[in-house]
Every structure is written in structure tokens, then in C-alpha cells.
């Protein structure tokens, strides 16, 4: 498919319909698993779990999470606004840098690729609402399972280098980012995000490649912001404008969305919302089992290898522990690392099932600070359904 002219067809959305539960208010369990992959596929994508076609909301199935890099055509998709440009000409695409800078810039893609040092970073991209379906009562937003995440090798230029060319003024404290998606209703706010200047480091890049190819259209072609270790709400797609300011701007997607209670547990009661709130920023420690999948049948006395991925905000994964007795005892999985601290850590655990019937595998990641995934029952409720990282559980049947 030619990215210059994105296919102008639409798919029928398969919205997630959730039934009522018997859980009391404010409980958290396992995310909903087993949603069916759509029979249809968006351009440049394999069939994925589809929540909406406008804006596109696509989740990767559990089977994707057995490898260190997520294939581009199986990478999840999350847009906030429905009006996405159907035509992006890379030869004429530019990004503007303005505000508190010595020299305002309008830089073309060609200039980014030829006039700046090219860099790569392998990093996990995860929606802040990943696994939101674990929260009961239902938290507002897309009821993701555990597949609103992926890991890729991103190539581009350092944001710091672009801002240095423009010359940020001393009084600059905030950097705002805007993309080319627009709302269908004129009063809906644009998806604009801000970061503070102290959050800049050499890993924050403007990326035009993903796993050695041009960005897929639905993942932000031709240019997106990459902020390793941060939730994806900061990773603005189809980036068009960077504005440097001295003061924080009041923005819907900063002041209302992607915020959690500003208390020790980051939690609240459904009928008693906590104020004040704070934005979600750095990802917490998490693991997901990619194989086997829930409901699978496995053979008695077979040589089964549990596989999956773990990650955090860049602190680094120290261990992944596996339990087959509902968390009473734990054993270490074998780890495969090497793509950098912001990437997936792959894990494997060999097991020989010797009893017939139901068998559950639990995976718990622990990072180098000693932070570990909690049991689902120990995660407290928040109204946005953000930052879920409960111990992952997969149940199979031994036959």
C-alpha cells in the first residue's frame, strides 16, 4: 500500500460489549482475555482485535507477546481524534518549531534525515489504559485487554538536536506537541501534549522509522515523537508542530485525561473521586505471557515452554518469576535481554504438566529497584483505569 494515499475505506467496528459483574465497587481482577481477532484488516496491518474504525483502535492478540520486537503489522493502534489525514506526502511534509526559540524553524523530512545525526532506540510503547478491562466497575475509556502495547526499534533524530538548532531561550520550561489528527466536532480540543524541558534526554527522538521500515500509517507516518519509559499518551503521532513556552498551558489532554489520584496508592472509590490528581508519566513494571494462551489444551507430560515479555520504565528487569500453584511458590524464568533498557525482556520457562485438568501459569516481573507486579486483587481502582500491572495469569487444560 502506498503511504502517500492511505486507503479510503472503513471497517465496521467491533465494539467490546461488557456484561455486568457481581464484583463489588472498586475491585480489580484480570483483564478480559480471549476477544476475537477481526476478520478484516486495516491497511499495513494483519487482522487485529478491533474496537473502532473511526478513530482506529486496534489491539494486538496475546500471541504477539512471545518476541522481543513486535512486528509492524501486529502493532496496536490508538488514535484519539477521528479525522486523520488520508494523504501525507513525505516530499512536502514539514514540522514547525516555534515559541520561545531564537529562530523559528520549518524542517522537512529530508532535512531531518540528512542534516541531523541519525539515532536508534528500542523502546516499549504502551497505552496508559492497557488492561483497563480489569477494573470494576468499568473505568472510562477503551476496555483494552493486555494488548495495547508493543516494542519496536525506532529510528530518527534527537529532539534535543532539533531544539538546539532553533535555540531554546533560557526562560523556556515547557514543550508542546501537536499532530495532524483533528476532531469531528469543532469544540472538541486538539490532542496536544506537553512535557517539561527537564524531561529531555538523548533517548527522546523524532522517529520516522519503525523496525527498519517507514512508520506504518496508523502508527503515525511519517513522523512521531518517541519518549522511552513513558506511557504512549506523550508519543504524539503525525507530528506537525513543536511549541516552546515558559508557562504550562491548560489543555484537556493534560488537565483532564490521563490523570490519576495524587496519593500514595494512586486510587479512589467509584463514588468518592480523589482530588488532586497528577498525570501518568513513567510506566510501572509489567509482564505478559504470550504462550500458552487462555483456554488452550496442552498434552499431559508434554514439554511445554511458557514464553512472554516483561518491561518497565527503563530501570531494567531483574527477574521474571513463574508460579504454577496460584502464587504459593515461584521459580525463575530464563531471561533474554540485549535490546536496551527500554525494550522488552523476553522470558522462557520450561514445564512438564503431570496432572490432568486446569493448570494456571502466573508471571511476575521484578525490576532492578526491587519493584514487582502485585496480585490483581491488591491493585486499587482509579476512575481512568490507568497503570494496571497485575500479575499475569493464563489458564490452560491438560489433556
Amino acid at each position: 500500500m502506498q503511504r502517500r494515499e492511505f486507503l479510503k475505506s472503513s471497517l465496521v467496528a467491533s465494539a467490546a460489549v461488557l456484561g455486568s459483574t457481581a464484583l463489588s465497587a472498586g475491585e480489580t481482577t484480570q483483564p478480559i482475555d480471549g476477544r476475537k481477532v477481526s476478520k478484516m484488516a486495516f491497511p499495513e496491518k494483519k487482522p487485529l482485535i478491533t474496537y473502532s474504525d473511526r478513530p482506529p483502535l486496534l489491539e494486538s492478540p496475546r500471541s504477539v507477546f512471545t518476541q522481543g520486537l513486535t512486528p509492524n503489522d501486529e502493532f496496536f493502534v490508538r488514535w484519539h481524534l477521528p479525522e486523520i489525514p488520508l494523504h501525507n506526502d513525505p516530499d512536502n511534509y514539514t514540522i514547525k518549531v516555534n515559541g520561545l526559540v531564537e529562530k523559528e524553524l520549518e524542517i522537512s523530512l529530508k532535512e531531518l534525515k540528512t542534516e541531523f545525526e541519525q539515532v536508534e532506540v528500542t523502546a516499549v510503547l504502551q497505552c496508559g489504559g492497557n488492561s483497563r478491562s480489569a477494573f470494576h466497575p468499568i473505568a472510562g475509556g477503551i476496555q483494552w485487554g493486555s494488548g495495547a502495547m508493543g516494542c519496536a526499534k525506532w529510528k530518527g533524530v534527537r529532539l534535543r538536536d532539533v531544539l538546539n538548532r532553533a535555540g531554546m531561550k533560557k526562560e523556556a520550561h515547557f514543550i508542546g506537541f501537536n499532530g495532524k489528527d483533528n476532531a469531528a466536532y469543532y469544540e472538541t480540543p486538539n490532542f496536544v501534549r506537553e512535557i517539561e524541558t527537564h524531561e529531555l534526554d538523548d533517548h527522546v527522538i523524532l522517529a520516522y522509522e519503525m523496525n527498519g521500515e517507514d512508520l506504518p500509517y496508523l502508527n503515525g507516518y511519517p513522523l512521531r515523537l518517541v519518549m522511552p519509559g513513558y506511557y504512549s499518551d506523550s508519543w504524539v503521532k503525525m507530528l506537525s508542530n513543536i511549541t516552546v513556552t515558559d508557562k504550562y498551558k491548560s489543555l484537556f489532554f493534560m488537565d483532564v485525561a490521563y490523570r490519576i489520584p495524587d496519593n500514595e496508592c494512586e486510587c479512589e472509590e467509584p463514588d468518592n473521586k480523589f482530588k488532586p490528581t497528577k498525570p501518568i508519566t513513567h510506566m510501572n513494571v509489567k509482564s505478559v505471557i504470550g504462550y500458552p494462551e487462555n483456554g488452550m489444551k496442552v498434552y499431559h507430560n508434554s514439554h511445554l515452554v511458557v514464553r512472554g515479555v516483561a518491561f518497565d520504565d527503563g530501570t531494567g528487569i531483574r527477574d521474571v518469576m513463574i508460579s504454577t500453584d496460584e502464587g504459593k511458590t515461584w521459580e525463575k524464568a530464563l531471561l533474554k535481554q540485549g535490546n536496551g533498557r527500554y525494550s522488552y525482556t523476553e522470558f522462557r520457562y520450561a514445564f512438564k504438566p503431570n496432572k490432568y485438568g486446569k493448570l494456571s501459569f502466573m508471571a511476575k516481573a521484578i525490576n532492578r529497584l526491587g519493584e514487582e507486579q502485585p496480585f490483581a486483587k491488591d491493585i486499587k481502582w482509579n476512575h481512568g483505569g490507568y497503570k494496571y500491572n497485575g500479575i499475569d495469569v493464563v489458564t490452560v487444560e491438560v489433556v
Side-chain angles (χ1 to χ4, degrees):
M1 188 210 74
Q2 295 295 321
R3 291 179 175 83
R4 292 171 183 259
E5 191 67 28
F6 188 62
L7 187 62
K8 297 181 180 179
S9 62
S10 64
L11 303 179
V12 177
S14 55
V17 179
L18 302 179
S20 61
T21 75
L23 295 171
S24 61
E27 291 194 12
T28 309
T29 58
Q30 285 289 303
I32 292 177
D33 201 4
R35 290 190 177 96
K36 292 184 179 180
V37 169
S38 173
K39 294 181 180 180
M40 297 178 287
F42 282 76
E44 300 182 293
K45 297 290 181 181
K46 290 181 178 179
L48 299 175
I49 299 166
T50 303
Y51 293 88
S52 168
D53 66 331
R54 190 172 184 264
L57 300 169
L58 312 176
E59 178 179 337
S60 303
R62 182 178 285 272
S63 59
V64 171
F65 306 114
T66 59
Q67 51 197 317
L69 292 177
T70 308
N72 289 0
D73 58 4
E74 295 182 286
F75 211 98
F76 89 100
V77 172
R78 177 26 165 160
W79 288 85
H80 295 81
L81 304 179
E83 297 293 341
I84 301 171
L86 298 177
H87 176 80
N88 279 329
D89 182 356
D91 294 332
N92 294 306
Y93 198 96
T94 60
I95 179 172
K96 295 179 180 179
V97 183
N98 51 32
L100 288 177
V101 293
E102 300 294 340
K103 179 176 62 174
E104 294 193 352
L105 303 176
E106 186 167 0
I107 307 173
S108 68
L109 273 178
K110 182 179 179 180
E111 289 170 329
L112 283 176
K113 294 178 180 181
T114 59
E115 298 182 10
F116 294 86
E117 181 181 357
Q118 309 301 292
V119 295
E120 290 184 337
V121 59
T122 302
V124 175
L125 174 64
Q126 179 188 207
C127 178
N130 191 27
S131 305
R132 182 182 282 124
S133 59
F135 290 88
H136 300 274
I138 293 172
I142 308 306
Q143 297 302 300
W144 299 111
S146 295
M149 66 180 199
C151 182
K153 182 179 291 185
W154 311 92
K155 182 177 180 180
V157 303
R158 298 183 190 92
L159 173 60
R160 189 196 302 275
D161 291 347
V162 173
L163 292 173
N164 284 344
R165 176 173 289 194
M168 278 200 305
K169 295 183 178 180
K170 291 182 179 180
E171 59 268 32
H173 292 293
F174 293 91
I175 308 167
F177 304 90
N178 196 6
K180 286 188 173 293
D181 51 326
N182 293 295
Y185 181 53
Y186 73 96
E187 289 192 2
T188 302
N190 286 336
F191 186 76
V192 178
R193 295 287 296 176
E194 287 188 342
I195 65 171
E196 295 186 55
T197 53
H198 69 78
E199 296 176 273
L200 277 179
D201 65 27
D202 286 345
H203 295 108
V204 180
I205 69 172
L206 308 180
Y208 50 80
E209 280 189 13
M210 179 176 168
N211 291 330
E213 302 176 346
D214 287 345
L215 291 171
Y217 204 95
L218 289 178
N219 292 113
Y221 178 83
L223 192 71
R224 75 174 303 158
L225 180 67
V226 169
M227 287 196 66
Y230 284 67
Y231 286 103
S232 68
D233 52 286
S234 296
W235 297 42
V236 177
K237 297 180 288 296
M238 288 188 187
L239 190 61
S240 61
N241 202 89
I242 299 173
T243 302
V244 181
T245 61
D246 59 343
K247 296 180 180 178
Y248 173 78
K249 288 185 177 180
S250 180
L251 302 165
F252 174 84
F253 287 104
M254 295 293 296
D255 298 337
V256 179
Y258 296 107
R259 298 184 71 88
I260 52 176
D262 189 7
N263 53 28
E264 185 176 354
C265 67
E266 299 180 341
C267 66
E268 58 198 335
E269 293 296 329
D271 57 353
N272 186 20
K273 304 295 174 59
F274 186 88
K275 293 182 179 181
T277 62
K278 62 184 178 181
I280 61 170
T281 53
H282 294 270
M283 296 187 295
N284 49 17
V285 63
K286 188 167 186 170
S287 67
V288 172
I289 297 171
Y291 180 87
E293 299 179 53
N294 276 305
M296 274 189 171
K297 289 180 169 58
V298 300
Y299 289 110
H300 182 260
N301 281 333
S302 61
H303 294 282
L304 180 65
V305 179
V306 178
R307 292 174 289 163
V309 296
F311 61 96
D312 67 352
D313 66 351
T315 299
I317 299 300
R318 186 186 73 197
D319 291 304
V320 175
M321 310 298 291
I322 304 295
S323 177
T324 58
D325 57 8
E326 298 182 341
K328 297 181 181 69
T329 61
W330 298 86
E331 294 185 7
K332 289 185 179 182
L334 294 176
L335 305 185
K336 180 182 177 182
Q337 300 171 318
N339 284 329
R341 62 192 180 98
Y342 295 111
S343 65
Y344 280 158
T345 291
E346 299 175 60
F347 66 84
R348 298 167 64 89
Y349 176 77
F351 184 77
K352 192 173 184 178
N354 55 19
K355 294 181 180 179
Y356 292 99
K358 299 292 184 183
L359 170 65
S360 291
F361 293 100
M362 305 177 75
K364 174 175 67 174
I366 306 171
N367 71 10
R368 289 191 169 93
L369 292 178
E371 298 167 338
E372 61 182 69
Q373 287 178 265
F375 285 94
K377 63 181 179 61
D378 295 326
I379 296 177
K380 306 303 181 183
W381 191 89
N382 69 79
H383 71 276
Y386 294 127
K387 297 185 67 173
Y388 178 90
N389 70 329
I391 290 171
D392 197 29
V393 182
V394 165
T395 302
V396 299
E397 183 178 359
V398 182
V399 297

